[in-house]
Every structure is written in C-alpha cells, then in structure tokens.
C-alpha cells in the first residue's frame, strides 16, 4: 500500500481572549468608557490641528495669543475702522473744549489692534483660536482635559448655547482674549475663579461668559468714546489699560452681586451702572482693582507664570510694538445695558 502523505495542515489556533481593560478603565460603565474615548479623540484631533504628532493641546498665554494677532493680517478689518465716536454740532464743541485729551499718536496703532481683534470672529481653522477657547475651558473648570468644539458644556460656563462663537457679537476674539487674560494671569486667576463660583450659585447664578462679553463691550465703548485716553497716555499703553479696566469692572460687579444678593433679574441695572463707571470713573475703578490686588495673595497658574496687570503696565511702558487695525463696533449696550 502506498503511504499516505503526511497532513501538513496546521491546526487552527483558538481565538485569543480579549485583552483585559486597563486598570483605570475597569469598573466603569460602557457609557463612561465611550465618553472617555471621546475625550481622547478630541485631544488627538486638536493635536492634528496644531501640527503635533501626539499629546494634549498646550495652554496658551495671553502674550502668546496677542503676538499671534500682532502678526496676523487684519487689513480687511482696517478698511472699516471707526476708532472713535463721531460727534456733531454742540456735542462736538463741548467734547473739544471740556472732553478728555486725544489718544497720543504713538498709541493709536495699539488701539486699532484692540478694535481689530474685536472684529475678528472665532475661526475653527485657526489653531490659536481653538487653543484660546480650550485654555479658558480648562482654567475655569480646573480640568486637564480639553472639550469638544460644540456642546452643552459651553452653556455650563455661561455661554448661551453650544457654540461660543455666536455670543461674541460686538467683541469678537477680544471677548475671548480678555477671558484668557483673566484666567492666565497668576494674580487674576483667583478672582476669576471666585466670580465663576458665584455664577454657579443656586440662587445668585448668572451666565459668566455672557457677563464677561458684556463687560468687554463696555470697555470697548469707553475706549471709542475716548474716556480712557488720559489713562492710556499716562501709562503709554492701551491693551493693558483695557484688560485692567475689564478686570476692575468685573470685580465691581462681583462685589455688588455678592454683597447685595443680586440675581439675573438685576443684571440690566448693574450693567448700566458699570457702563457709567467705565466711562466716567475709570480711574476710580482701576484704583479699586489695584487696592484689591495688593491685598490678595499671589497664586500660580499651573506653572504658567504671568505678571500682574499692574506690573505688566510698568514693565512694558514705553515699549514700542507694531500693530495693525480694525472695523467699526456696533455696541448694543449703548442706550440700554443688558445681557446679550
């Protein structure tokens, strides 16, 4: 008999058992696991946007973001600039005779940059814009993780809906830049977090980010009406003055809101008072902020050290920076202060 050839067919290997879940994932529900994977996916997408191979999106400082706008082409906005409010007739004469001094010529470029940023919309394709947004989220929530570009988590921070970009009318990216300044300055951060905590109060709650945008509107209007020219000329800066006045106005709102147990129903009246103060008493507001900061302990911003607003002003006084310019602002608070 002929010998049968040997069977060389390899036996099928049994399927491998599923790999055990990592320790930090065990014991959580499928829904929680899905959420965790979504967070990780967000970080991966952001890394691609920033041209990074891996790792979370880094925080961005105010100075780094400002440098981005200094070097960005804002020529389209510059064509629509109306840097100051136009006055006619008797109003123009009274302003000329008794009004504040004009902004020094060497500061007008910096003023135009601030107004330009205020007309720059939030752009999903700009990695710096996304880093600004993510930094604000991380610092306010004290979370190491980023978040999706759209979602109800923005409402929890005090925006009106799932897209923060729709709430920046009249302030543009300057609305986010001033929030960024508030949370990334090592001395300002404790105050920002205190105000944010108050905004989450059971009965005294208010939309933090919407309130912030409204305060930026007030500051911009005071700038355009030349109410800040004297202070800007004295300090030889514009953006630092805007940031300090923003923080000072927010501090004033916080004090009144907390001590007098205000609610959202009072927001229109309080914003109207702030509008008056930013235009007629900016020096008094700034002095109040200086006093408050001198009594507040210095804290670190998770390793990102930023000088205080007043030290920024003194250290950079006289520093010459090249700026670009902007468009007209339509400030809806003029006439009746209200939350947008």
């Amino acid at each position: 008999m002929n010998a049968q050839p040997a069977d060389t067919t390899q036996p099928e290997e049994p399927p491998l058992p599923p790999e055990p879940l990592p320790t930090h994932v065990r014991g959580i529900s499928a829904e929680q696991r899905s959420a965790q994977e979504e967070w990780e996916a967000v970080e991966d997408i952001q890394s691609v946007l920033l041209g990074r191979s891996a790792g979370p999106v880094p925080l961005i400082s105010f100075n780094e973001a400002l440098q981005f706008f200094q070097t960005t082409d804002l020529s389209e906005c510059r064509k629509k600039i109306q840097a100051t409010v136009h006055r006619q007739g008797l109003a123009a004469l009274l302003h000329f005779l008794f009004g504040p001094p004009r902004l020094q010529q060497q500061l007008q470029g910096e003023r135009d940059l601030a107004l330009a940023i205020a007309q720059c919309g939030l752009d999903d394709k700009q990695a710096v814009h996304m880093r600004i947004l993510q930094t604000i989220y991380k610092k306010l929530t004290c979370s190491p993780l980023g978040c999706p570009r759209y979602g109800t988590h923005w409402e929890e921070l005090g925006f009106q809906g799932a897209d923060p970009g729709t709430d920046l009318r009249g302030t543009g990216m300057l609305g986010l830049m001033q929030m960024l300044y508030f949370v990334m300055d090592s001395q300002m951060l404790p105050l920002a977090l205190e105000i944010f905590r108050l905004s989450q109060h059971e009965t005294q709650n208010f939309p933090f980010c919407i309130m912030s945008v409204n305060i930026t509107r007030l500051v911009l209007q005071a700038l355009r009406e030349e109410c800040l020219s004297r202070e800007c000329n004295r300090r030889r800066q514009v953006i630092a003055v805007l940031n300090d006045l923003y923080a000072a106005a927010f501090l004033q709102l916080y004090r009144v809101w907390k001590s007098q147990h205000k609610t959202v129903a009072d927001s229109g009246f309080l914003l109207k008072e702030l509008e008056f103060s930013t235009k007629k008493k900016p020096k008094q507001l700034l002095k109040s902020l200086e006093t408050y900061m001198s009594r507040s302990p210095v804290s670190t911003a998770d390793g990102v050290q930023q000088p205080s607003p007043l030290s920024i002003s003194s250290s950079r006084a006289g520093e010459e920076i090249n700026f670009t310019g902007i468009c007209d602002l339509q400030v809806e608070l003029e006439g009746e202060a209200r939350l947008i």
Side-chain angles (χ1 to χ4, degrees):
M1 295 178 61
N2 296 331
Q4 295 293 328
D7 186 2
T8 58
T9 303
Q10 296 295 327
E12 293 185 2
E13 295 183 1
L16 295 174
E19 294 184 3
L21 293 174
T23 304
H24 68 280
V25 178
R26 298 174 191 170
I28 66 176
S29 67
E31 183 179 354
Q32 290 173 315
R33 191 176 304 120
S34 175
Q36 180 177 351
E37 292 172 354
E38 183 180 350
W39 284 112
E40 293 172 352
V42 168
E43 297 288 358
D44 291 341
I45 292 171
Q46 292 170 339
S47 296
V48 172
L49 284 174
L50 295 173
R52 298 164 61 91
S53 57
V57 176
L59 300 177
I60 187 169
S61 70
F62 178 84
N63 287 339
E64 182 182 353
L66 180 61
Q67 185 176 22
F68 165 79
F69 286 108
Q70 289 172 358
T71 56
T72 297
D73 182 12
L74 300 174
S75 57
E76 288 303 313
C77 290
R78 187 180 302 170
K79 296 175 183 177
K80 304 175 183 178
I81 287 179
Q82 184 182 343
T84 58
V85 173
H86 291 304
R87 297 175 175 86
Q88 296 180 342
L90 181 60
L93 178 61
L94 291 174
H95 181 75
F96 176 77
L97 294 175
F98 306 108
R102 287 184 173 273
L103 187 69
Q104 294 173 359
Q105 186 175 1
Q106 63 266 32
L107 297 176
Q108 291 176 10
E110 188 177 353
R111 173 201 62 195
D112 292 347
L113 174 65
L115 296 175
I117 298 172
Q119 285 297 313
C120 179
L122 182 61
D123 187 351
D124 291 5
K125 297 179 182 179
Q126 285 285 359
V128 169
H129 289 202
M130 296 298 101
R131 285 180 64 195
I132 292 171
L133 198 60
Q134 291 291 323
T135 299
I136 292 169
Y137 177 85
K138 290 179 179 180
K139 299 299 286 186
L140 287 178
T141 61
C142 301
S143 169
L145 297 173
C147 65
R149 168 67 178 82
Y150 303 93
T152 56
H153 48 279
W154 295 117
E155 296 178 47
E156 296 172 5
L157 262 61
F159 287 104
Q160 291 186 110
D163 179 11
T166 61
D167 293 331
L168 302 177
R169 296 181 300 274
T171 67
M173 286 300 296
L174 188 66
L176 292 183
M177 283 287 285
Q178 293 208 302
M179 286 187 221
L180 179 69
Y181 161 77
F182 212 23
V183 300
M184 286 301 287
D185 184 279
S186 60
Q187 287 189 311
M188 289 294 175
L189 178 59
L191 174 60
L193 293 178
E194 277 296 315
I195 298 174
F196 182 66
R197 277 191 286 270
L198 179 61
S199 76
Q200 306 290 308
H201 191 273
E202 183 178 356
T203 58
Q204 289 188 266
N205 60 81
F206 60 88
F208 177 89
C209 291
I210 292 297
M211 192 68 76
S212 173
V213 168
N214 274 278
I215 292 175
T216 298
R217 283 168 171 254
L218 297 178
V219 170
L220 281 169
Q221 188 64 8
L223 175 68
R224 294 182 66 240
E225 293 189 17
E226 301 177 277
C227 302
L228 309 182
S229 296
R230 181 174 283 105
E231 185 67 17
C232 290
N233 291 342
R234 184 184 71 83
R235 289 166 55 170
R236 290 185 289 175
Q237 288 186 308
V238 176
I239 291 178
V241 172
L242 293 180
N243 285 342
D244 286 351
L245 187 60
Y246 160 87
F250 226 149
L251 172 62
Q252 177 67 13
L253 178 80
Y254 167 71
R255 283 173 160 169
V256 174
W257 198 285
K258 184 174 183 179
S259 64
Q260 299 182 19
H261 305 284
K262 299 297 185 181
T263 66
V264 173
D266 304 301
S267 58
F269 174 75
L270 293 180
L271 285 171
K272 194 64 181 177
E273 284 191 333
L274 278 183
E275 181 181 13
F276 176 82
S277 296
T278 54
K279 292 180 181 180
K280 304 299 182 182
K281 301 179 180 179
K283 188 175 181 179
Q284 182 175 325
L285 278 177
L286 291 169
K287 183 63 178 178
S288 177
L289 175 68
E290 183 179 0
T291 302
Y292 176 86
M293 297 307 296
S294 67
R295 297 174 181 174
S296 301
V298 178
S299 67
T300 58
D302 294 341
V304 181
Q305 290 291 342
Q306 290 287 91
S308 71
L310 301 179
S311 62
I312 287 176
S313 305
S314 59
S315 65
R316 296 183 59 192
E319 179 181 347
E320 184 175 348
I321 307 175
N322 294 321
F323 295 103
T324 39
I326 171 51
C327 332
D328 181 26
L329 297 174
Q330 300 297 328
V331 180
E332 297 176 9
L333 281 170
E334 195 171 1
E336 180 182 358
R338 59 186 178 83
L339 285 176
I340 59 174

